[in-house]
Amino acid sequence: MKRIALLGATGSIGISTIDVVSRHPDLLCITAVIGYSRVQELASVAKQVGAKVAVIAQSSAYTDLCSALAGTGIEAQSGDAAIAEICSRDDVDIVLNALVGAAGVAPTLTALHHGKPVVLANKETLVCGGAFVTREAVKTNTAILPVDSEHSALFQALIGEPRARVKRLILTASGGPFRETPLEELRQITPEAALKHPTWKMGPKVTIDSSTLVNKGLELIEAKWLFQASSNELDVVVHPQSIVHSLVEYVDGSMKAQLSNPDMRIPIQFALSYPDRWEADYVPNDLPALRDLTFYAPDEARFPALRLAKQALDGSNGMAAVFNAADEIAVPEFLANRISYLGIPAVIEDAMTHFAGATAESLDELFDLDRNVRSWTHEQIIKRARNV
C-alpha cells in the first residue's frame, strides 16, 4: 500500500489522482490532502478519500476549514509549516505535488530531504528551483517521477536506453486554440476564448499558458532538469491531435514515442505504479479512428513565449525564475481584462530585459528574486494602465 500526500487536491490533477486511487484501493490510499484557499472543496475531498489530515495553505482560512471538518475526525492544519510537516510524515510514502506556481518548490525539497519520492505535476518546482531540487534528489537518492503527459512520455521512452545514445528529446504541443488564428486577431483574444482548450481540461492558469505556449516553454526548462538535457537536445513540435505525447530520437535515427488518448489519469497512474504498470479501463486507443497524426514546427512569431523560454533556458541561472514569475503575474491580469492577450509575452519579455543576468545561488536568493520580479512586474502593469 502506497500512502499519498496529495498537494493541490482540489485542482484538475488532484481530481484525476483521486479517480486513479479509487480504482486501486488495495494498492493506493491518500493520507493527507492540501489545497490553497478553497475550503469547502478541500473538506469535501478530505471526506471523500478518508484522509487523516487536511491542510489549507492560506492561514486565514484555517477557522473555516476546522468548521467544515467538525465531527469528521479529520485533522485541520494551515500554512507553509504544516505543508512541510505533511511532506515529512512517517505515514506518507509518496508526495504528489500538483500545487500551482512557485509555491510548489519548498514542499518538493522537503519531501526529497526526507526520502519521499515526489510525483511531480508542479512545473515551477524545476523551472525555478531545478538546480536545488535535482541536487537534493541525488543527495538522498530519491526519485522524481513526472506527471506531465509530455515528460511522462519521455520518461517511458527512455527506459532501458543508455542516456549517451539520445540525440533529441522532442516535446509535443497541441498548439492551443489559436494555432491558426491570424496574427492581427490575437490582440483581440478574450479570456473566455483563451480558456477553451481544444484537447485538455485544465485549470485556468495552465489553460492560458497552454494557449500562449508558455506552458511548453516551462516544460522545456523542466525537461532540462528531469533528463539532464542541454538546450540543443530539446525541441518542440506542434501535434494538434495530442495522441503522441513526446518522442525520443536516438543517435542511429530511431525514434521512440509514447501514444495514448489525452487523459491525465494515464501518466498519473504510471508515476504511482512505477516501476510496475497496472491495468486500467480508461478509454482505449483506436488507431484506425484517428486516421491522421500531424506534426509541424511551432510559429515563434505567433508564440513569442516559446522564444523567451529558450532564452531563459540558455541564460543565467535566475532567468527561468524571472520568466515564470512574470507569467504568474501576467496571466491573472489578462484574466481580469487588465492586459491584452499579447500583453502576456510582452510582460514576460520586459521582465527578462529588466532582470537580465539575474542569478540565484541559494534558495533564499531564489525566493528573493521571485518576489522582486513579481513586485516589479505588477508595478509595470499598473504604470501601463495609467498611461493608456
Side-chain angles (χ1 to χ4, degrees), residues 166-215:
V166 173
K167 184 177 180 181
R168 281 193 303 164
L169 304 175
I170 305 169
L171 290 85
T172 58
S174 71
F178 310 126
R179 59 179 176 262
E180 297 178 354
T181 302
L183 285 172
E184 61 273 15
E185 295 181 18
L186 289 178
R187 190 172 298 278
Q188 309 305 319
I189 295 297
T190 64
E192 292 74 20
L195 287 169
K196 295 178 181 178
H197 195 278
T199 309
W200 297 97
K201 183 178 181 181
M202 305 170 291
K205 168 68 164 55
V206 180
T207 303
I208 299 301
D209 283 349
S210 294
S211 75
T212 60
L213 286 200
V214 163
N215 204 47

mmCIF file of all heavy atoms in Angstrom, residues 166-215:
data_model
loop_
_atom_site.group_PDB
_atom_site.id
_atom_site.type_symbol
_atom_site.label_atom_id
_atom_site.label_comp_id
_atom_site.label_asym_id
_atom_site.label_seq_id
_atom_site.Cartn_x
_atom_site.Cartn_y
_atom_site.Cartn_z
ATOM 1 N N VAL A 166 21.112 9.213 -26.691
ATOM 2 C CA VAL A 166 19.972 10.089 -27.009
ATOM 3 C C VAL A 166 20.453 11.291 -27.806
ATOM 4 O O VAL A 166 21.424 11.962 -27.424
ATOM 5 C CB VAL A 166 19.268 10.562 -25.720
ATOM 6 C CG1 VAL A 166 18.202 11.610 -26.033
ATOM 7 C CG2 VAL A 166 18.640 9.381 -24.990
ATOM 8 N N LYS A 167 19.778 11.566 -28.915
ATOM 9 C CA LYS A 167 20.102 12.743 -29.728
ATOM 10 C C LYS A 167 19.186 13.921 -29.410
ATOM 11 O O LYS A 167 19.660 15.045 -29.224
ATOM 12 C CB LYS A 167 19.991 12.395 -31.214
ATOM 13 C CG LYS A 167 20.402 13.535 -32.136
ATOM 14 C CD LYS A 167 20.346 13.100 -33.595
ATOM 15 C CE LYS A 167 20.757 14.247 -34.522
ATOM 16 N NZ LYS A 167 20.690 13.825 -35.953
ATOM 17 N N ARG A 168 17.872 13.668 -29.366
ATOM 18 C CA ARG A 168 16.918 14.753 -29.088
ATOM 19 C C ARG A 168 15.768 14.260 -28.228
ATOM 20 O O ARG A 168 15.328 13.113 -28.361
ATOM 21 C CB ARG A 168 16.318 15.309 -30.382
ATOM 22 C CG ARG A 168 17.177 16.258 -31.166
ATOM 23 C CD ARG A 168 16.362 16.983 -32.228
ATOM 24 N NE ARG A 168 15.687 16.065 -33.135
ATOM 25 C CZ ARG A 168 14.682 16.423 -33.948
ATOM 26 N NH1 ARG A 168 14.212 17.667 -33.941
ATOM 27 N NH2 ARG A 168 14.129 15.539 -34.769
ATOM 28 N N LEU A 169 15.294 15.139 -27.364
ATOM 29 C CA LEU A 169 14.052 14.942 -26.628
ATOM 30 C C LEU A 169 13.037 15.916 -27.228
ATOM 31 O O LEU A 169 13.238 17.137 -27.180
ATOM 32 C CB LEU A 169 14.253 15.228 -25.140
ATOM 33 C CG LEU A 169 15.355 14.432 -24.433
ATOM 34 C CD1 LEU A 169 15.506 14.908 -22.986
ATOM 35 C CD2 LEU A 169 15.066 12.943 -24.476
ATOM 36 N N ILE A 170 11.962 15.381 -27.795
ATOM 37 C CA ILE A 170 11.020 16.205 -28.556
ATOM 38 C C ILE A 170 9.678 16.228 -27.835
ATOM 39 O O ILE A 170 8.988 15.203 -27.729
ATOM 40 C CB ILE A 170 10.844 15.668 -29.985
ATOM 41 C CG1 ILE A 170 12.211 15.555 -30.669
ATOM 42 C CG2 ILE A 170 9.909 16.573 -30.779
ATOM 43 C CD1 ILE A 170 12.170 14.779 -31.976
ATOM 44 N N LEU A 171 9.305 17.388 -27.323
ATOM 45 C CA LEU A 171 8.017 17.557 -26.663
ATOM 46 C C LEU A 171 6.973 17.962 -27.691
ATOM 47 O O LEU A 171 7.246 18.786 -28.575
ATOM 48 C CB LEU A 171 8.093 18.611 -25.567
ATOM 49 C CG LEU A 171 8.893 18.262 -24.321
ATOM 50 C CD1 LEU A 171 10.367 18.578 -24.528
ATOM 51 C CD2 LEU A 171 8.376 19.030 -23.117
ATOM 52 N N THR A 172 5.781 17.407 -27.575
ATOM 53 C CA THR A 172 4.704 17.805 -28.470
ATOM 54 C C THR A 172 3.819 18.850 -27.789
ATOM 55 O O THR A 172 3.680 18.870 -26.575
ATOM 56 C CB THR A 172 3.841 16.602 -28.897
ATOM 57 O OG1 THR A 172 3.310 15.969 -27.731
ATOM 58 C CG2 THR A 172 4.658 15.603 -29.690
ATOM 59 N N ALA A 173 3.230 19.702 -28.611
ATOM 60 C CA ALA A 173 2.298 20.735 -28.139
ATOM 61 C C ALA A 173 1.052 20.692 -29.010
ATOM 62 O O ALA A 173 1.154 20.559 -30.234
ATOM 63 C CB ALA A 173 2.955 22.116 -28.231
ATOM 64 N N SER A 174 -0.104 20.815 -28.392
ATOM 65 C CA SER A 174 -1.338 20.831 -29.184
ATOM 66 C C SER A 174 -1.424 22.082 -30.051
ATOM 67 O O SER A 174 -2.075 22.095 -31.085
ATOM 68 C CB SER A 174 -2.562 20.765 -28.267
ATOM 69 O OG SER A 174 -2.727 21.996 -27.566
ATOM 70 N N GLY A 175 -0.741 23.148 -29.623
ATOM 71 C CA GLY A 175 -0.847 24.419 -30.330
ATOM 72 C C GLY A 175 -1.954 25.294 -29.790
ATOM 73 O O GLY A 175 -2.066 26.469 -30.152
ATOM 74 N N GLY A 176 -2.783 24.730 -28.898
ATOM 75 C CA GLY A 176 -3.829 25.519 -28.263
ATOM 76 C C GLY A 176 -4.919 25.944 -29.224
ATOM 77 O O GLY A 176 -4.950 25.552 -30.388
ATOM 78 N N PRO A 177 -5.826 26.792 -28.760
ATOM 79 C CA PRO A 177 -6.975 27.180 -29.577
ATOM 80 C C PRO A 177 -6.655 28.195 -30.670
ATOM 81 O O PRO A 177 -7.494 28.444 -31.537
ATOM 82 C CB PRO A 177 -7.948 27.780 -28.554
ATOM 83 C CG PRO A 177 -7.068 28.284 -27.458
ATOM 84 C CD PRO A 177 -5.907 27.333 -27.388
ATOM 85 N N PHE A 178 -5.450 28.790 -30.649
ATOM 86 C CA PHE A 178 -5.161 29.889 -31.576
ATOM 87 C C PHE A 178 -4.026 29.570 -32.539
ATOM 88 O O PHE A 178 -3.395 30.470 -33.085
ATOM 89 C CB PHE A 178 -4.824 31.159 -30.779
ATOM 90 C CG PHE A 178 -5.828 31.476 -29.720
ATOM 91 C CD1 PHE A 178 -5.436 31.655 -28.409
ATOM 92 C CD2 PHE A 178 -7.176 31.568 -30.022
ATOM 93 C CE1 PHE A 178 -6.356 31.929 -27.420
ATOM 94 C CE2 PHE A 178 -8.113 31.836 -29.044
ATOM 95 C CZ PHE A 178 -7.704 32.025 -27.731
ATOM 96 N N ARG A 179 -3.762 28.275 -32.763
ATOM 97 C CA ARG A 179 -2.621 27.920 -33.617
ATOM 98 C C ARG A 179 -2.824 28.350 -35.067
ATOM 99 O O ARG A 179 -1.857 28.473 -35.821
ATOM 100 C CB ARG A 179 -2.358 26.417 -33.545
ATOM 101 C CG ARG A 179 -3.494 25.536 -33.970
ATOM 102 C CD ARG A 179 -3.127 24.059 -33.897
ATOM 103 N NE ARG A 179 -4.255 23.202 -34.225
ATOM 104 C CZ ARG A 179 -5.031 22.626 -33.324
ATOM 105 N NH1 ARG A 179 -4.776 22.796 -32.040
ATOM 106 N NH2 ARG A 179 -6.047 21.867 -33.690
ATOM 107 N N GLU A 180 -4.087 28.595 -35.481
ATOM 108 C CA GLU A 180 -4.348 29.036 -36.847
ATOM 109 C C GLU A 180 -4.992 30.419 -36.897
ATOM 110 O O GLU A 180 -5.385 30.881 -37.963
ATOM 111 C CB GLU A 180 -5.244 28.012 -37.552
ATOM 112 C CG GLU A 180 -4.580 26.637 -37.695
ATOM 113 C CD GLU A 180 -5.486 25.606 -38.356
ATOM 114 O OE1 GLU A 180 -6.668 25.946 -38.594
ATOM 115 O OE2 GLU A 180 -5.027 24.502 -38.627
ATOM 116 N N THR A 181 -5.091 31.073 -35.771
ATOM 117 C CA THR A 181 -5.685 32.418 -35.729
ATOM 118 C C THR A 181 -4.748 33.422 -36.386
ATOM 119 O O THR A 181 -3.548 33.446 -36.079
ATOM 120 C CB THR A 181 -5.944 32.845 -34.271
ATOM 121 O OG1 THR A 181 -6.809 31.891 -33.654
ATOM 122 C CG2 THR A 181 -6.575 34.230 -34.211
ATOM 123 N N PRO A 182 -5.238 34.261 -37.295
ATOM 124 C CA PRO A 182 -4.375 35.279 -37.904
ATOM 125 C C PRO A 182 -3.705 36.155 -36.844
ATOM 126 O O PRO A 182 -4.326 36.502 -35.832
ATOM 127 C CB PRO A 182 -5.349 36.099 -38.768
ATOM 128 C CG PRO A 182 -6.470 35.147 -39.069
ATOM 129 C CD PRO A 182 -6.603 34.286 -37.851
ATOM 130 N N LEU A 183 -2.453 36.487 -37.077
ATOM 131 C CA LEU A 183 -1.685 37.245 -36.091
ATOM 132 C C LEU A 183 -2.375 38.533 -35.687
ATOM 133 O O LEU A 183 -2.364 38.922 -34.518
ATOM 134 C CB LEU A 183 -0.287 37.548 -36.643
ATOM 135 C CG LEU A 183 0.703 36.379 -36.681
ATOM 136 C CD1 LEU A 183 1.967 36.775 -37.415
ATOM 137 C CD2 LEU A 183 1.040 35.938 -35.263
ATOM 138 N N GLU A 184 -2.991 39.205 -36.664
ATOM 139 C CA GLU A 184 -3.601 40.503 -36.371
ATOM 140 C C GLU A 184 -4.822 40.366 -35.446
ATOM 141 O O GLU A 184 -5.270 41.356 -34.861
ATOM 142 C CB GLU A 184 -4.000 41.215 -37.666
ATOM 143 C CG GLU A 184 -5.013 40.489 -38.524
ATOM 144 C CD GLU A 184 -4.383 39.503 -39.500
ATOM 145 O OE1 GLU A 184 -3.190 39.165 -39.324
ATOM 146 O OE2 GLU A 184 -5.105 39.077 -40.428
ATOM 147 N N GLU A 185 -5.368 39.166 -35.311
ATOM 148 C CA GLU A 185 -6.529 38.964 -34.450
ATOM 149 C C GLU A 185 -6.165 38.582 -33.025
ATOM 150 O O GLU A 185 -7.029 38.599 -32.139
ATOM 151 C CB GLU A 185 -7.433 37.878 -35.049
ATOM 152 C CG GLU A 185 -8.060 38.268 -36.382
ATOM 153 C CD GLU A 185 -8.964 37.182 -36.940
ATOM 154 O OE1 GLU A 185 -9.360 36.296 -36.155
ATOM 155 O OE2 GLU A 185 -9.271 37.227 -38.145
ATOM 156 N N LEU A 186 -4.903 38.238 -32.782
ATOM 157 C CA LEU A 186 -4.512 37.760 -31.459
ATOM 158 C C LEU A 186 -4.673 38.825 -30.382
ATOM 159 O O LEU A 186 -4.946 38.513 -29.221
ATOM 160 C CB LEU A 186 -3.064 37.255 -31.477
ATOM 161 C CG LEU A 186 -2.826 35.945 -32.239
ATOM 162 C CD1 LEU A 186 -1.343 35.590 -32.228
ATOM 163 C CD2 LEU A 186 -3.641 34.814 -31.637
ATOM 164 N N ARG A 187 -4.491 40.089 -30.761
ATOM 165 C CA ARG A 187 -4.617 41.153 -29.767
ATOM 166 C C ARG A 187 -6.029 41.248 -29.199
ATOM 167 O O ARG A 187 -6.224 41.724 -28.073
ATOM 168 C CB ARG A 187 -4.216 42.508 -30.386
ATOM 169 C CG ARG A 187 -4.072 43.633 -29.375
ATOM 170 C CD ARG A 187 -3.484 44.876 -30.023
ATOM 171 N NE ARG A 187 -2.153 44.602 -30.528
ATOM 172 C CZ ARG A 187 -1.048 44.615 -29.762
ATOM 173 N NH1 ARG A 187 -1.149 44.869 -28.479
ATOM 174 N NH2 ARG A 187 0.118 44.381 -30.291
ATOM 175 N N GLN A 188 -7.017 40.761 -29.963
ATOM 176 C CA GLN A 188 -8.410 40.871 -29.535
ATOM 177 C C GLN A 188 -8.906 39.637 -28.784
ATOM 178 O O GLN A 188 -10.073 39.557 -28.408
ATOM 179 C CB GLN A 188 -9.302 41.103 -30.772
ATOM 180 C CG GLN A 188 -8.853 42.237 -31.672
ATOM 181 C CD GLN A 188 -8.700 43.555 -30.933
ATOM 182 O OE1 GLN A 188 -9.529 43.885 -30.078
ATOM 183 N NE2 GLN A 188 -7.656 44.310 -31.240
ATOM 184 N N ILE A 189 -8.025 38.675 -28.535
ATOM 185 C CA ILE A 189 -8.433 37.447 -27.853
ATOM 186 C C ILE A 189 -8.942 37.766 -26.452
ATOM 187 O O ILE A 189 -8.317 38.495 -25.691
ATOM 188 C CB ILE A 189 -7.260 36.454 -27.768
ATOM 189 C CG1 ILE A 189 -6.851 35.992 -29.167
ATOM 190 C CG2 ILE A 189 -7.609 35.264 -26.881
ATOM 191 C CD1 ILE A 189 -7.896 35.230 -29.915
ATOM 192 N N THR A 190 -10.090 37.198 -26.101
ATOM 193 C CA THR A 190 -10.678 37.416 -24.774
ATOM 194 C C THR A 190 -10.303 36.272 -23.832
ATOM 195 O O THR A 190 -9.961 35.169 -24.286
ATOM 196 C CB THR A 190 -12.208 37.475 -24.864
ATOM 197 O OG1 THR A 190 -12.701 36.201 -25.295
ATOM 198 C CG2 THR A 190 -12.650 38.569 -25.842
ATOM 199 N N PRO A 191 -10.372 36.502 -22.530
ATOM 200 C CA PRO A 191 -10.136 35.401 -21.588
ATOM 201 C C PRO A 191 -11.066 34.220 -21.830
ATOM 202 O O PRO A 191 -10.651 33.062 -21.733
ATOM 203 C CB PRO A 191 -10.405 36.059 -20.231
ATOM 204 C CG PRO A 191 -10.065 37.494 -20.426
ATOM 205 C CD PRO A 191 -10.518 37.803 -21.830
ATOM 206 N N GLU A 192 -12.313 34.489 -22.173
ATOM 207 C CA GLU A 192 -13.280 33.408 -22.395
ATOM 208 C C GLU A 192 -12.836 32.510 -23.550
ATOM 209 O O GLU A 192 -12.923 31.279 -23.474
ATOM 210 C CB GLU A 192 -14.666 33.983 -22.691
ATOM 211 C CG GLU A 192 -15.323 34.694 -21.520
ATOM 212 C CD GLU A 192 -14.721 36.057 -21.205
ATOM 213 O OE1 GLU A 192 -14.054 36.649 -22.091
ATOM 214 O OE2 GLU A 192 -14.901 36.510 -20.064
ATOM 215 N N ALA A 193 -12.333 33.124 -24.616
ATOM 216 C CA ALA A 193 -11.861 32.344 -25.765
ATOM 217 C C ALA A 193 -10.594 31.565 -25.416
ATOM 218 O O ALA A 193 -10.439 30.404 -25.807
ATOM 219 C CB ALA A 193 -11.598 33.270 -26.949
ATOM 220 N N ALA A 194 -9.702 32.185 -24.673
ATOM 221 C CA ALA A 194 -8.429 31.546 -24.327
ATOM 222 C C ALA A 194 -8.603 30.379 -23.364
ATOM 223 O O ALA A 194 -7.756 29.493 -23.289
ATOM 224 C CB ALA A 194 -7.470 32.574 -23.740
ATOM 225 N N LEU A 195 -9.691 30.375 -22.612
ATOM 226 C CA LEU A 195 -9.940 29.307 -21.644
ATOM 227 C C LEU A 195 -10.561 28.062 -22.279
ATOM 228 O O LEU A 195 -10.780 27.068 -21.594
ATOM 229 C CB LEU A 195 -10.847 29.816 -20.519
ATOM 230 C CG LEU A 195 -10.181 30.778 -19.534
ATOM 231 C CD1 LEU A 195 -11.216 31.430 -18.632
ATOM 232 C CD2 LEU A 195 -9.129 30.057 -18.702
ATOM 233 N N LYS A 196 -10.801 28.093 -23.589
ATOM 234 C CA LYS A 196 -11.398 26.949 -24.277
ATOM 235 C C LYS A 196 -10.311 26.151 -24.983
ATOM 236 O O LYS A 196 -10.073 26.309 -26.185
ATOM 237 C CB LYS A 196 -12.464 27.422 -25.279
ATOM 238 C CG LYS A 196 -13.667 28.085 -24.630
ATOM 239 C CD LYS A 196 -14.657 28.586 -25.659
ATOM 240 C CE LYS A 196 -15.848 29.269 -25.003
ATOM 241 N NZ LYS A 196 -16.802 29.818 -26.006
ATOM 242 N N HIS A 197 -9.624 25.286 -24.224
ATOM 243 C CA HIS A 197 -8.576 24.466 -24.820
ATOM 244 C C HIS A 197 -9.214 23.366 -25.668
ATOM 245 O O HIS A 197 -10.210 22.761 -25.252
ATOM 246 C CB HIS A 197 -7.694 23.841 -23.737
ATOM 247 C CG HIS A 197 -6.413 23.293 -24.263
ATOM 248 N ND1 HIS A 197 -6.329 22.058 -24.846
ATOM 249 C CD2 HIS A 197 -5.166 23.827 -24.317
ATOM 250 C CE1 HIS A 197 -5.082 21.838 -25.234
ATOM 251 N NE2 HIS A 197 -4.354 22.890 -24.930
ATOM 252 N N PRO A 198 -8.655 23.096 -26.854
ATOM 253 C CA PRO A 198 -9.297 22.125 -27.756
ATOM 254 C C PRO A 198 -9.141 20.667 -27.338
ATOM 255 O O PRO A 198 -9.855 19.805 -27.852
ATOM 256 C CB PRO A 198 -8.587 22.379 -29.093
ATOM 257 C CG PRO A 198 -7.240 22.905 -28.703
ATOM 258 C CD PRO A 198 -7.480 23.737 -27.474
ATOM 259 N N THR A 199 -8.217 20.367 -26.427
ATOM 260 C CA THR A 199 -7.930 18.959 -26.115
ATOM 261 C C THR A 199 -8.056 18.630 -24.642
ATOM 262 O O THR A 199 -8.717 17.672 -24.256
ATOM 263 C CB THR A 199 -6.501 18.590 -26.575
ATOM 264 O OG1 THR A 199 -6.323 18.976 -27.938
ATOM 265 C CG2 THR A 199 -6.262 17.090 -26.437
ATOM 266 N N TRP A 200 -7.410 19.424 -23.791
ATOM 267 C CA TRP A 200 -7.293 19.106 -22.372
ATOM 268 C C TRP A 200 -8.241 19.941 -21.534
ATOM 269 O O TRP A 200 -8.522 21.096 -21.859
ATOM 270 C CB TRP A 200 -5.865 19.370 -21.879
ATOM 271 C CG TRP A 200 -4.815 18.524 -22.529
ATOM 272 C CD1 TRP A 200 -4.014 18.882 -23.582
ATOM 273 C CD2 TRP A 200 -4.433 17.187 -22.182
ATOM 274 N NE1 TRP A 200 -3.169 17.858 -23.892
ATOM 275 C CE2 TRP A 200 -3.396 16.810 -23.055
ATOM 276 C CE3 TRP A 200 -4.878 16.287 -21.215
ATOM 277 C CZ2 TRP A 200 -2.797 15.554 -22.988
ATOM 278 C CZ3 TRP A 200 -4.271 15.041 -21.147
ATOM 279 C CH2 TRP A 200 -3.248 14.685 -22.023
ATOM 280 N N LYS A 201 -8.702 19.363 -20.428
ATOM 281 C CA LYS A 201 -9.474 20.106 -19.437
ATOM 282 C C LYS A 201 -8.568 20.372 -18.248
ATOM 283 O O LYS A 201 -8.164 19.451 -17.540
ATOM 284 C CB LYS A 201 -10.715 19.314 -18.993
ATOM 285 C CG LYS A 201 -11.593 20.074 -18.005
ATOM 286 C CD LYS A 201 -12.819 19.275 -17.626
ATOM 287 C CE LYS A 201 -13.698 20.049 -16.649
ATOM 288 N NZ LYS A 201 -14.898 19.261 -16.241
ATOM 289 N N MET A 202 -8.221 21.655 -18.045
ATOM 290 C CA MET A 202 -7.243 22.026 -17.030
ATOM 291 C C MET A 202 -7.725 23.257 -16.277
ATOM 292 O O MET A 202 -8.737 23.858 -16.623
ATOM 293 C CB MET A 202 -5.883 22.308 -17.693
ATOM 294 C CG MET A 202 -5.359 21.170 -18.553
ATOM 295 S SD MET A 202 -3.919 21.636 -19.540
ATOM 296 C CE MET A 202 -4.644 22.781 -20.731
ATOM 297 N N GLY A 203 -6.972 23.650 -15.248
ATOM 298 C CA GLY A 203 -7.270 24.871 -14.523
ATOM 299 C C GLY A 203 -6.997 26.095 -15.378
ATOM 300 O O GLY A 203 -6.321 26.011 -16.415
ATOM 301 N N PRO A 204 -7.503 27.275 -14.978
ATOM 302 C CA PRO A 204 -7.374 28.475 -15.813
ATOM 303 C C PRO A 204 -5.936 28.889 -16.093
ATOM 304 O O PRO A 204 -5.600 29.261 -17.225
ATOM 305 C CB PRO A 204 -8.126 29.555 -15.024
ATOM 306 C CG PRO A 204 -8.292 29.003 -13.646
ATOM 307 C CD PRO A 204 -8.317 27.522 -13.778
ATOM 308 N N LYS A 205 -5.051 28.835 -15.083
ATOM 309 C CA LYS A 205 -3.656 29.251 -15.292
ATOM 310 C C LYS A 205 -2.982 28.375 -16.345
ATOM 311 O O LYS A 205 -2.347 28.882 -17.300
ATOM 312 C CB LYS A 205 -2.899 29.179 -13.964
ATOM 313 C CG LYS A 205 -1.374 29.312 -14.067
ATOM 314 C CD LYS A 205 -0.934 30.693 -14.500
ATOM 315 C CE LYS A 205 0.545 30.945 -14.242
ATOM 316 N NZ LYS A 205 1.483 29.976 -14.832
ATOM 317 N N VAL A 206 -3.083 27.070 -16.214
ATOM 318 C CA VAL A 206 -2.433 26.164 -17.158
ATOM 319 C C VAL A 206 -3.065 26.278 -18.538
ATOM 320 O O VAL A 206 -2.379 26.185 -19.559
ATOM 321 C CB VAL A 206 -2.488 24.713 -16.642
ATOM 322 C CG1 VAL A 206 -1.818 23.761 -17.633
ATOM 323 C CG2 VAL A 206 -1.817 24.596 -15.285
ATOM 324 N N THR A 207 -4.377 26.490 -18.599
ATOM 325 C CA THR A 207 -5.059 26.614 -19.885
ATOM 326 C C THR A 207 -4.569 27.843 -20.647
ATOM 327 O O THR A 207 -4.291 27.765 -21.854
ATOM 328 C CB THR A 207 -6.579 26.696 -19.687
ATOM 329 O OG1 THR A 207 -7.016 25.536 -18.969
ATOM 330 C CG2 THR A 207 -7.303 26.755 -21.020
ATOM 331 N N ILE A 208 -4.444 28.971 -19.957
ATOM 332 C CA ILE A 208 -3.920 30.178 -20.617
ATOM 333 C C ILE A 208 -2.472 29.956 -21.030
ATOM 334 O O ILE A 208 -2.067 30.302 -22.154
ATOM 335 C CB ILE A 208 -4.035 31.407 -19.695
ATOM 336 C CG1 ILE A 208 -5.497 31.675 -19.335
ATOM 337 C CG2 ILE A 208 -3.406 32.632 -20.360
ATOM 338 C CD1 ILE A 208 -6.408 31.926 -20.512
ATOM 339 N N ASP A 209 -1.673 29.357 -20.165
ATOM 340 C CA ASP A 209 -0.269 29.086 -20.501
ATOM 341 C C ASP A 209 -0.153 28.167 -21.710
ATOM 342 O O ASP A 209 0.781 28.296 -22.505
ATOM 343 C CB ASP A 209 0.449 28.457 -19.305
ATOM 344 C CG ASP A 209 0.815 29.467 -18.231
ATOM 345 O OD1 ASP A 209 0.709 30.678 -18.499
ATOM 346 O OD2 ASP A 209 1.212 29.039 -17.132
ATOM 347 N N SER A 210 -1.073 27.232 -21.836
ATOM 348 C CA SER A 210 -1.049 26.338 -22.995
ATOM 349 C C SER A 210 -1.372 27.096 -24.277
ATOM 350 O O SER A 210 -0.801 26.818 -25.331
ATOM 351 C CB SER A 210 -2.045 25.190 -22.793
ATOM 352 O OG SER A 210 -1.640 24.368 -21.728
ATOM 353 N N SER A 211 -2.277 28.050 -24.198
ATOM 354 C CA SER A 211 -2.660 28.802 -25.391
ATOM 355 C C SER A 211 -1.541 29.722 -25.875
ATOM 356 O O SER A 211 -1.412 29.976 -27.075
ATOM 357 C CB SER A 211 -3.927 29.617 -25.113
ATOM 358 O OG SER A 211 -3.650 30.758 -24.320
ATOM 359 N N THR A 212 -0.714 30.225 -24.953
ATOM 360 C CA THR A 212 0.397 31.112 -25.327
ATOM 361 C C THR A 212 1.684 30.344 -25.612
ATOM 362 O O THR A 212 2.671 30.939 -26.066
ATOM 363 C CB THR A 212 0.688 32.111 -24.194
ATOM 364 O OG1 THR A 212 1.051 31.379 -23.013
ATOM 365 C CG2 THR A 212 -0.506 33.004 -23.908
ATOM 366 N N LEU A 213 1.702 29.052 -25.329
ATOM 367 C CA LEU A 213 2.879 28.175 -25.366
ATOM 368 C C LEU A 213 3.877 28.495 -24.255
ATOM 369 O O LEU A 213 4.993 27.978 -24.255
ATOM 370 C CB LEU A 213 3.570 28.172 -26.725
ATOM 371 C CG LEU A 213 2.873 27.401 -27.849
ATOM 372 C CD1 LEU A 213 3.865 27.056 -28.957
ATOM 373 C CD2 LEU A 213 2.170 26.148 -27.390
ATOM 374 N N VAL A 214 3.491 29.349 -23.291
ATOM 375 C CA VAL A 214 4.301 29.495 -22.085
ATOM 376 C C VAL A 214 4.453 28.131 -21.422
ATOM 377 O O VAL A 214 5.538 27.762 -20.942
ATOM 378 C CB VAL A 214 3.657 30.500 -21.101
ATOM 379 C CG1 VAL A 214 4.254 30.348 -19.708
ATOM 380 C CG2 VAL A 214 3.856 31.924 -21.584
ATOM 381 N N ASN A 215 3.369 27.373 -21.394
ATOM 382 C CA ASN A 215 3.401 26.056 -20.767
ATOM 383 C C ASN A 215 4.464 25.165 -21.402
ATOM 384 O O ASN A 215 5.188 24.437 -20.717
ATOM 385 C CB ASN A 215 2.026 25.406 -20.884
ATOM 386 C CG ASN A 215 1.781 24.367 -19.814
ATOM 387 O OD1 ASN A 215 2.033 24.613 -18.644
ATOM 388 N ND2 ASN A 215 1.302 23.213 -20.214
#
